[in-house]
Amino acid sequence: MSKTLLYGATKIDETNSAYAPVESLAQFQWKNRVFVVFADRDNSRAARQENQLLADRSALDERDLVVLKISGAGVRSHFGAADSLDGEAIRRDLKAPGTGEFAAFLLGKDGTVKLKLSEPITNGELFAIVDSMPMRAAESLKPDK
């Protein structure tokens, strides 16, 4: 089954082996969804994306989202715990654009890429995508979530 997500016009074919779990982010698999932003410090699109996301920390927490920013080879966690990550390995594994260019990726708890963006996304759009995921739907039925 193929899903087309119009945010950034990226088509994700979940049956394709190219969408195997991202090895460099394996520490999050089955625990967290990961939103990765690639851009330099002075990138206005990255700043806008980060500010939007961090404005609703409770929604990030509720959805078990970790937010990472990769600038060059450096990795900074903006929300959630992240240890010993290699920015170059993540960039290579996700086939992200070169240093300084904006891109964002959403990885599901299964560790696969669910969304690739070339422009910032609103919290409402991002959370709607996350909430439409089967694992998230199952989580929302649990009394503690």
Side-chain angles (χ1 to χ4, degrees):
M1 181 177 156
S2 180
K3 282 187 185 177
T4 301
L5 299 173
L6 298 178
Y7 310 104
T10 299
K11 184 175 181 179
I12 302 294
D13 179 0
E14 294 174 342
T15 62
N16 186 330
S17 64
Y19 294 100
V22 176
E23 191 61 36
S24 55
L25 295 170
Q27 67 179 276
F28 301 107
Q29 193 171 5
W30 306 119
K31 294 180 268 185
N32 298 98
R33 293 171 186 89
V34 183
F35 191 79
V36 183
V37 176
F38 290 90
D40 285 339
R41 252 179 294 195
D42 300 330
N43 188 297
S44 63
R45 291 183 292 175
R48 187 169 71 234
Q49 183 68 79
E50 294 160 17
N51 290 336
Q52 285 178 21
L53 287 170
L54 297 177
D56 199 349
R57 292 174 181 266
S58 63
L60 295 173
D61 190 44
E62 180 182 328
R63 289 164 179 84
D64 298 326
L65 267 163
V66 170
V67 179
L68 304 174
K69 180 177 181 183
I70 299 182
S71 182
V75 180
R76 180 172 175 215
S77 175
H78 283 296
F79 188 82
D83 297 318
S84 306
L85 294 171
D86 179 347
E88 290 300 323
I90 296 168
R91 184 181 302 278
R92 182 180 57 252
D93 289 350
L94 291 174
K95 297 176 180 67
T99 302
E101 294 180 50
F102 177 87
F105 293 79
L106 173 65
L107 282 72
K109 282 190 174 182
D110 63 357
T112 64
V113 175
K114 303 299 183 186
L115 180 66
K116 179 180 178 181
L117 302 161
S118 57
E119 292 294 327
I121 188 171
T122 67
N123 284 359
E125 291 170 320
L126 177 64
F127 297 154
I129 291 168
V130 171
D131 292 346
S132 72
M133 295 176 181
M135 193 176 294
R136 172 67 182 143
E139 291 168 359
S140 66
L141 297 175
K142 292 179 183 177
D144 66 329
K145 281 283 178 179

